[in-house]
Amino acid sequence: VQDAASSQDPRSRGHEGSWQRWKEEICRILGEIQAPLSPLLLRLSHWLLPKLLTRLFLSVQLHRGQLEMVLRAARTPEVPLVFLCSHQSQVDGPLLSFILLSQGIGLPRVTVGAWTSPCLRSLLQRLGGIFLPSGMAQTWSDRDEGLPGAVLDAYIQEVLQSRQPLILFLEEPPAALRLADPARCWLLRVLRALQDGAVPDVLIIPVGITYDVAP
């Protein structure tokens, strides 16, 4: 992150005032990506979600054998879990988050697509949602990422090193069966964390979600 800031303004090296401005910019970018978790909102949402699911669906079915495999994988020391998921509804994120937390795997960080509502974005961040910094959702290549890209790289490395489960949605509904540009950007961060040696390995877990009728 320091190298990215210095490359944008070489005169800032050793200049306290310039570094203070860069620190403020870094905090602003980080605030676009995530927010501190709210225990109160988490407890409230996981109390309401089962009631919502019973209103929406007749049942929610999990493959017990596959769930046991995931639980065994979660016990692998020093290796984070990365869930690569199909995406058919905005209910997918809260549903997966609830399942993983209820099974003792831990609260995941869930990538969320672009939302226009600042209030909804803030709420989802407090529940574990993470977003691409502004401007990066439109382009996923590693060119001209600058400081936002460096901050995002460092953030994903911290998530993986702390062994927080990470949920990446590969599609953006309703455009199914096509790798979305934001998904490419998130996957690039995981690949870089491995290449840079931030984590020795990751366990990739494919997740398929289907609905009789998508909500």
Side-chain angles (χ1 to χ4, degrees), residues 65-144:
Q66 293 177 354
L67 183 59
E68 291 175 354
M69 293 175 62
V70 173
L71 292 173
R72 287 200 301 270
R75 293 191 288 269
T76 305
E78 299 183 5
V79 179
L81 304 181
V82 177
F83 296 84
L84 302 184
C85 311
S86 60
H87 198 15
Q88 301 197 19
S89 165
Q90 302 302 343
V91 179
D92 297 348
L95 176 61
L96 279 175
S97 178
F98 172 74
I99 291 172
L100 295 181
L101 189 59
S102 65
Q103 295 299 316
I105 296 176
L107 181 70
R109 288 293 185 170
V110 184
T111 60
V112 184
W115 292 81
T116 56
S117 168
C119 293
L120 185 56
R121 181 185 181 114
S122 177
L123 174 62
L124 292 174
Q125 284 180 322
R126 297 288 183 178
L127 296 175
I130 56 177
F131 295 76
L132 292 175
S134 57
M136 290 192 65
Q138 288 74 35
T139 175
W140 60 269
S141 71
D142 58 357
R143 296 171 296 183
D144 300 324

Side-chain angles (χ1 to χ4, degrees), residues 1-86:
V1 172
Q2 289 179 348
D3 290 342
S6 298
S7 66
Q8 292 190 12
D9 186 5
R11 295 171 299 177
S12 65
R13 287 186 180 273
H15 192 281
E16 185 175 349
S18 296
W19 273 115
Q20 183 61 35
R21 290 195 297 272
W22 282 118
K23 286 180 181 180
E24 293 174 357
E25 177 64 12
I26 290 167
C27 289
R28 184 194 66 79
I29 296 171
L30 187 60
E32 291 185 341
I33 299 172
Q34 61 102 51
L37 298 175
S38 171
L40 177 61
L41 284 177
L42 286 169
R43 286 195 295 267
L44 181 62
S45 66
H46 286 94
W47 177 75
L48 286 174
L49 190 59
K51 301 181 184 301
L52 173 64
L53 294 177
T54 57
R55 296 275 185 174
L56 289 176
F57 311 117
L58 293 177
S59 65
V60 176
Q61 300 178 0
L62 301 176
H63 191 291
R64 186 174 297 276
Q66 293 177 354
L67 183 59
E68 291 175 354
M69 293 175 62
V70 173
L71 292 173
R72 287 200 301 270
R75 293 191 288 269
T76 305
E78 299 183 5
V79 179
L81 304 181
V82 177
F83 296 84
L84 302 184
C85 311
S86 60

Side-chain angles (χ1 to χ4, degrees), residues 4-5 21 25 37 50 71-72 77 90 93 114 133 141 145 154 156 161 163 177 182 186-187 190 195 198:
R21 290 195 297 272
E25 177 64 12
L37 298 175
L71 292 173
R72 287 200 301 270
Q90 302 302 343
S141 71
E145 288 183 343
I156 291 299
Q161 287 173 347
R163 297 190 70 241
L177 302 179
W186 291 113
L187 288 170
V190 175
Q195 291 175 335

